[in-house]
Amino acid sequence: MNREIAVVAFAQTDHRRTSEELSEVEMLMPVLHEVLAQTGLKTADIDFTCSGSSDYLAGRAFSFTLALDGVGAWPPISESHVEMDGAWALYEAWTKLLTGDADTALVYSYGKSSPGPLRDVLTRQLDPYYVAPLWPDSVALAALQAQALIDAGDTDEPALAAVAARSRTDATANSHAQLAGSVPQGEYVVRPLRTGDCPPIGDGAAAVILAAGERARGLCDRPAWIRGIDHRIEAHSLGVRDLTDSPSTRLAAERAGAFERPVDTAELHAPFTSQEIVLRKALKLDDGVRVNPSGGALGANPVMAAGLIRIGEAAARVHRGESDRALAHATSGPCLQQNLVAVLEGDPR
Amino acid sequence: MSKEPVAVVGIGQTKHVAARRDVSIAGLVREAARSALDDAELTWADIDAVVIGKAPDFFEGVMMPELYLADALGAVGKPMLRVHTAGSVGGSTALVAANLVAARVHGTVLTLAFEKQSESNAMWGLSLPIPFQQPLLAGAGGFFAPHVRAYMRRSGAPDTVGSLVAYKDRRNALKNPYAHLHEHDITLEKVQASPMLWDPIRYSETCPSSDGACAMILTDRAGAARAPRPPAWMLGGAMRSEPTLFAGKDAVSPQAGKDCAADVYRQAGIADPRRDIDAAEIYVPFSWYEPMWLENLGFAAEGEGWKLTEAGVTELDGDLPVNMSGGVLSTNPIGASGMIRFAEAALQVRGQAGEHQVERARRVLGHAYGGGSQFFSMWLVGAEPPTS
């Protein structure tokens, strides 16, 4: 595992509440063109392609097969797909580059939440025999976690409101964000979570290009080297988990080398304000770390792309020289069940 | 940088049937995983990561079922990846798992693929049309039948070849205790007399809908040295994709399939597949795909694949046995079907295939495809470790 691999380019859509005038392919195409243009690469120059998405958002089996048409897979390409957030597609691409079978990889993901009621759709992720039939929705489950945190004395409602305010203020500097600026905390959606504690529901796509070694240096002035990346899953049942903690995030961070030296930036995939509290604790982030300068998932949370966007945003800060060592995090499943952590570094300046 | 060699040291599958009403989805996958661990004489604690695959989530009505299945597969506290590449997914899943070992990210990986088709109806799971887009025409058979017709026209194959494949595969399935269809009274005449479903594909030339799971334990050189039974070594593996529909596509013999096979052969040092490969488990959901894929995979020249089938070359005792296990025609838990091909190839080179074992099977191909013949995944496994 001595091969150096870096994120060399990142692009994303403007995230919107609805994109009903666009198919998934049409939503994705400009992002693919943009990320390739950043490096000057063409589809035929890419050694491996991997995507992340979920059929359930489109309401249609095999929806990803059509997205492939947007890539222009001709002549045929070496390609794979995870039915997960694109952050895990990036992980698969990273392992492919590590084997030496590929020097460049295109990773993309997308999600349109607008075709269906997202809170209902996400209930279908749950244990199909005992839990899903009760239709507990994603906000209700996050509220259980938030209340557990408040009961444990880890946070309170004003502190959650402060997370929301900081995120949406930061999102004003992010032209892609869906929800930015002075957003009122609003009424309770599910107590103790108010409107402001919850992410916007939206459509969006993102793409990243990875490259190995000297190839990365040739494609990017300041590559964001992936120093470590790891992901871990926890038990599904909420009844057997301590919702105030995230041992899987801590373990992934440890394996990714996040604790070896301090990071200056952290892009956390925390769709709910309360989840930032959990992640900050698990990742041992102090106030000196710039958390979610992009506005995070509270600014835009296109399901299946939001995790990849965290890696992209962290990498872009390294590219721009705004960060030397950044942490990126992605999550999947109810109440932070599955978590991925990547550590990105720029060459010394 | 050299890759770590990848060995298959454990294989498990469930008895495949139309409906496993005695187990949940979690129970089904755990049964296959447990069986693979037993074969490798390992415990859950020996597994570093889990890679799971299946075909569309709509088949069981569970979105991203890996979340729910984490506990059942002993994945808590471990990395868990979920692969989905349509019908090729079982093969792709194994290759993603193999890459984790080859890249030296993990030492020992559990990979598993499943489908519990009885939880819903695959026909409807595949029939969710959206505007301005061609739906699959009355299930997969409706989509593939015109391509079979095109093959028959191009190759001049007599219309008896499809029934020979079905008759062979169903007889092979009788020797495989895990196969779904065990038609003890099968005759060639019965296949030929079965109803026409999608002309020219007859009922007995189609795959069943199965519940089932398949699991493998993949490990590195050190893990292989500790294995209690002979390992199967991965000599080459590749995936290729091309678009679903476009004017330049050859639906009879897709370029992605040819390129994928060529990559595998290059990695494995195969100069002439017909000579250098001893047997093959090929993804044949409709009988005519045996001769079609024989050509696509380079076992026969273009237009000649049906001659191998007709001459009995692909019979269990033939010169190039194909689908010794009974194949997809006898067992089709869709998401697992590709992995079963990969696992059966490994069983053969390990000499563990029981009644459907081919003698002197030293190098065997596992093959899967999916979508509108657009996704391909293959591996070649051998009894000896790779030399390079």
Side-chain angles (χ1 to χ4, degrees):
Chain A
M1 269 175 63
N2 46 12
R3 212 168 188 237
E4 283 195 309
I5 292 153
V7 177
V8 296
F10 166 58
Q12 60 182 316
T13 53
D14 292 340
H15 309 295
R16 294 289 174 260
R17 177 62 186 89
T18 178
S19 57
E20 61 187 14
E21 73 284 7
L22 299 174
S23 70
E24 288 174 336
V25 185
E26 290 168 320
M27 185 175 72
L28 184 61
M29 284 282 277
V31 176
L32 295 174
H33 284 296
E34 190 187 332
V35 80
L36 287 166
Q38 284 179 28
T39 55
L41 293 173
K42 297 187 165 26
T43 305
D45 302 324
I46 299 290
D47 296 331
F48 181 66
T49 301
C50 197
S51 62
S53 68
S54 170
D55 280 348
Y56 257 78
L57 296 175
R60 180 184 185 284
F62 297 142
S63 72
F64 68 94
T65 64
L66 296 162
L68 186 64
D69 292 2
V71 176
W74 188 260
I77 60 172
S78 174
E79 189 261 353
S80 183
H81 172 258
V82 297
E83 191 84 354
M84 307 177 82
D85 185 287
W88 278 267
L90 183 142
Y91 181 86
E92 185 185 327
W94 173 75
T95 63
K96 180 81 175 176
L97 264 59
L98 275 185
T99 65
D101 285 343
D103 290 330
T104 54
L106 169 66
V107 178
Y108 65 90
S109 65
Y110 57 91
K112 287 182 62 150
S113 299
S114 59
L118 184 64
R119 285 169 68 178
D120 291 345
V121 171
L122 290 175
T123 65
R124 303 300 90 190
Q125 282 187 335
L126 304 168
D127 176 327
Y129 303 102
Y130 295 108
V131 185
L134 304 173
W135 294 85
D137 73 40
S138 48
V139 181
L141 296 175
L144 279 176
Q145 188 170 30
Q147 189 60 51
L149 282 167
I150 292 172
D151 292 347
D154 285 356
T155 193
D156 54 27
E157 292 190 37
L160 296 181
V163 170
R166 193 208 72 237
S167 298
R168 264 92 192 214
T169 301
D170 285 341
T172 56
N174 177 358
S175 62
H176 302 287
Q178 184 182 336
L179 197 57
S182 179
V183 178
Q185 271 301 83
E187 298 299 314
Y188 288 115
V189 184
V190 181
R191 197 180 284 263
L193 295 178
R194 295 172 183 271
T195 321
D197 293 307
C198 303
I201 293 173
D203 301 353
V208 157
I209 291 178
L210 300 181
E214 284 310 304
R215 199 71 197 281
R217 290 195 169 85
L219 293 170
C220 180
D221 289 340
R222 193 167 192 253
W225 300 106
I226 301 174
R227 294 301 184 211
I229 181 168
D230 194 89
H231 60 99
R232 301 281 152 168
I233 197 164
E234 294 178 34
H236 182 63
S237 171
L238 300 180
V240 301
R241 286 157 63 190
D242 174 2
L243 295 181
T244 68
D245 196 7
S246 183
S248 57
T249 300
R250 189 179 298 110
L251 183 56
E254 193 180 307
R255 297 297 177 116
F259 301 135
E260 288 166 15
R261 287 191 296 120
V263 297
D264 54 48
T265 302
E267 278 285 341
L268 307 179
H269 185 192
F272 297 93
T273 53
S274 43
Q275 293 179 341
E276 183 179 305
I277 309 292
V278 178
L279 294 171
R280 273 178 178 271
K281 185 169 74 171
L283 293 166
K284 302 175 195 165
L285 300 177
D286 60 33
D287 291 341
V289 179
R290 187 80 171 88
V291 173
N292 289 346
S294 66
L298 289 163
N301 189 41
V303 180
M304 300 302 137
L308 181 63
I309 291 170
R310 303 281 73 75
I311 299 175
E313 289 282 4
R317 274 178 78 79
V318 172
H319 296 162
R320 292 192 299 262
E322 293 164 4
S323 169
D324 292 321
R325 181 171 158 90
L327 180 149
H329 160 268
T331 195
S332 178
C335 298
L336 303 172
Q337 187 193 346
Q338 189 175 18
N339 296 282
L340 176 147
V341 173
V343 177
L344 306 168
E345 281 185 356
D347 287 324
R349 287 175 291 175
Chain B
M1 193 192 77
S2 70
K3 286 187 284 184
E4 178 70 22
V6 180
V8 185
V9 294
I11 295 173
Q13 51 183 312
T14 58
K15 166 74 178 101
H16 307 286
V17 295
R20 277 295 298 271
R21 299 196 197 287
D22 59 322
V23 288
S24 62
I25 300 169
L28 184 78
V29 297
R30 194 171 168 95
E31 192 175 303
R34 185 68 259 177
S35 166
L37 284 169
D38 288 347
D39 184 22
E41 293 183 14
L42 295 175
T43 69
W44 298 102
D46 297 312
I47 300 300
D48 300 319
V50 178
V51 183
I52 184 171
K54 64 176 264 38
D57 291 4
F58 285 100
F59 281 5
E60 288 83 9
V62 187
M63 178 183 184
M64 302 164 72
E66 73 279 5
L67 296 165
Y68 145 68
L69 292 172
D71 310 53
L73 290 173
V76 172
K78 296 175 186 174
M80 187 172 194
L81 269 173
R82 158 72 196 287
V83 181
H84 179 11
T85 64
S88 67
V89 65
S92 307
T93 304
L95 293 178
V96 173
N99 271 347
L100 292 174
V101 175
R104 300 191 176 89
V105 175
H106 297 297
T108 302
V109 178
L110 166 67
T111 187
L112 181 139
F114 76 97
E115 205 73 72
K116 201 164 189 298
Q117 292 208 56
S118 65
E119 300 270 334
S120 71
N121 181 313
M123 185 75 134
W124 290 112
L126 287 174
S127 302
L128 295 160
I130 61 171
F132 311 118
Q133 191 172 292
Q134 180 178 328
L136 280 171
L137 307 164
F143 183 84
F144 290 117
H147 307 320
V148 171
R149 271 287 171 213
Y151 172 73
M152 294 168 76
R153 192 158 44 240
R154 259 158 66 162
S155 67
D159 58 11
T160 49
V161 172
S163 52
L164 292 175
V165 175
Y167 178 50
K168 168 190 66 107
D169 285 2
R170 296 278 163 79
R171 275 181 293 134
N172 287 352
L174 293 171
K175 298 177 186 295
N176 175 5
Y178 297 104
H180 174 178
L181 296 184
H182 280 157
E183 298 179 336
H184 292 280
D185 55 351
I186 188 81
T187 63
L188 184 58
E189 291 68 32
K190 279 188 180 171
V191 174
Q192 288 167 340
S194 69
M196 190 65 82
L197 285 189
W198 303 277
D199 191 348
I201 301 172
R202 293 184 180 278
Y203 177 78
S204 291
E205 298 175 67
T206 68
C207 50
S209 283
S210 315
D211 284 1
C214 179
M216 288 189 286
I217 312 291
L218 307 183
T219 191
D220 54 16
R221 208 184 324 236
R226 293 190 295 266
R229 275 172 276 280
W233 293 93
M234 179 173 158
L235 304 178
M239 293 186 230
R240 284 294 184 283
S241 310
E242 65 182 43
T244 327
L245 302 165
F246 76 110
K249 185 178 173 85
D250 183 349
V252 171
S253 189
Q255 189 63 39
K258 293 181 186 175
D259 291 359
C260 190
D263 192 0
V264 171
Y265 299 159
R266 179 189 55 79
Q267 293 171 38
I270 299 290
D272 176 358
R274 177 78 173 84
R275 186 193 65 209
D276 299 341
I277 294 174
D278 302 314
E281 282 280 340
I282 301 176
Y283 204 104
V284 176
F286 303 102
S287 61
W288 277 93
Y289 272 86
E290 175 176 298
M292 289 166 72
W293 292 146
L294 285 174
E295 296 172 25
N296 190 249
L297 291 167
F299 289 113
E302 196 170 322
E304 306 281 315
W306 62 270
K307 293 178 184 170
L308 295 190
T309 298
E310 197 179 51
V313 170
T314 59
E315 295 271 347
L316 191 54
D317 58 358
D319 183 44
L320 176 71
V322 171
N323 292 334
M324 301 71 76
S325 67
V328 181
L329 273 180
S330 307
T331 305
N332 188 33
I334 295 179
S337 291
M339 190 171 287
I340 297 170
R341 306 279 73 68
F342 277 44
E344 285 285 349
L347 271 183
Q348 288 286 340
V349 299
R350 297 173 76 204
Q352 306 270 316
E355 273 192 74
H356 63 286
Q357 177 70 45
V358 172
E359 274 184 59
R360 292 180 299 280
R362 308 296 290 171
R363 283 183 290 196
V364 179
L365 182 74
H367 162 275
Y369 85 106
S373 298
Q374 63 181 132
F375 302 114
F376 292 84
S377 59
M378 304 172 199
W379 80 3
L380 192 99
V381 285
E384 304 296 330
T387 48
S388 57

